[in-house]
Amino acid sequence: MPRRPFRVGRSNTGLGLFATRPIRKRTRIAEYKGRKVNTKEANRLEARGNLYLYEINSRWTIDGTPRSNIARYFNHSCNPNAEVYDVKHRVFIRTLRNIKPGEEITYNYGVDYLKNVIGRSNCQCGRCRRRRARKARERRALDKRRQARLARKRRL
Ligand SMILES: [Zn+2]
């Protein structure tokens, strides 16, 4: 693989990976590297709070904990611009669309991770933050209308 087209940077949730040049759709950009462990070992690691496990199949999991595994810095998004996939027990990340320099590169960690680790209402991806902001605005607008209605009633 050529020099990687992204760098580690600050994101909403800590660290993330950001494009340093335009990347075309369907480009393989990284490998999720780590020790291959069996399911028993993976379950043990998970119970100890390991968040960097990628399950290849019912028998094997990649433990992507080492900091040398740069792919562990890809954040989750519910509206991602990349995806993770595996080929013969190796795990890669590729882009789903053209990516501009400066854009954060994300992939979807999957429903289980979102529900059990992040928590649906805690997701910090762009889509969820916008959704929560919109809901908060709607609540405030509703509140305002209610207040106005009450004030009118009091004047009558
Ligand atoms: Zn989200």
Side-chain angles (χ1 to χ4, degrees):
M1 253 176 278
R3 235 179 80 78
R4 57 172 185 257
F6 52 80
R7 62 170 182 81
V8 179
R10 288 257 146 232
S11 77
N12 290 332
T13 48
L15 296 177
L17 296 173
F18 296 82
T20 49
R21 53 181 144 105
I23 311 171
R24 293 183 71 83
K25 182 178 174 176
R26 293 189 71 78
T27 304
R28 178 191 285 188
I29 50 172
E31 178 170 0
Y32 195 90
K33 285 185 180 161
R35 201 162 53 100
K36 199 162 92 175
V37 299
N38 63 30
T39 300
K40 196 175 154 200
E41 170 75 353
N43 289 341
R44 206 176 56 78
L45 293 169
E46 189 172 36
R48 290 197 337 218
N50 188 324
L51 297 177
Y52 299 106
L53 300 169
Y54 180 92
E55 190 180 306
I56 299 168
N57 57 35
S58 59
R59 288 186 62 191
W60 298 106
T61 293
I62 300 279
D63 174 14
T65 306
R67 282 176 192 281
S68 58
N69 172 34
I70 188 101
R72 64 176 245 167
Y73 296 108
F74 286 113
N75 282 314
H76 162 84
S77 173
C78 301
N79 182 28
N81 52 15
E83 68 179 350
V84 67
Y85 65 104
D86 51 80
V87 181
K88 295 181 185 157
H89 292 197
R90 288 175 72 189
V91 180
F92 301 99
I93 291 91
R94 73 179 157 213
T95 54
L96 287 169
R97 50 181 186 248
N98 294 336
I99 295 178
K100 294 195 235 27
E103 244 186 278
E104 183 173 6
I105 307 171
T106 55
Y107 65 83
N108 194 326
Y109 289 8
V111 178
D112 284 347
Y113 194 95
L114 182 61
K115 260 169 53 184
N116 302 323
V117 181
I118 300 174
R120 277 189 193 283
S121 53
N122 292 323
C123 183
Q124 295 299 317
C125 83
R127 174 179 279 182
C128 289
R129 288 165 71 98
R130 279 193 299 278
R131 180 174 46 80
R132 278 196 297 270
R134 195 186 60 232
K135 284 206 167 140
R137 266 199 312 280
E138 283 167 5
R139 255 196 318 276
R140 280 195 301 274
L142 193 71
D143 249 34
K144 234 171 146 178
R145 285 200 297 276
R146 205 173 279 142
Q147 296 293 331
R149 217 160 41 232
L150 279 172
R152 259 199 315 278
K153 237 179 174 170
R154 266 188 245 112
R155 277 200 301 275
L156 287 175

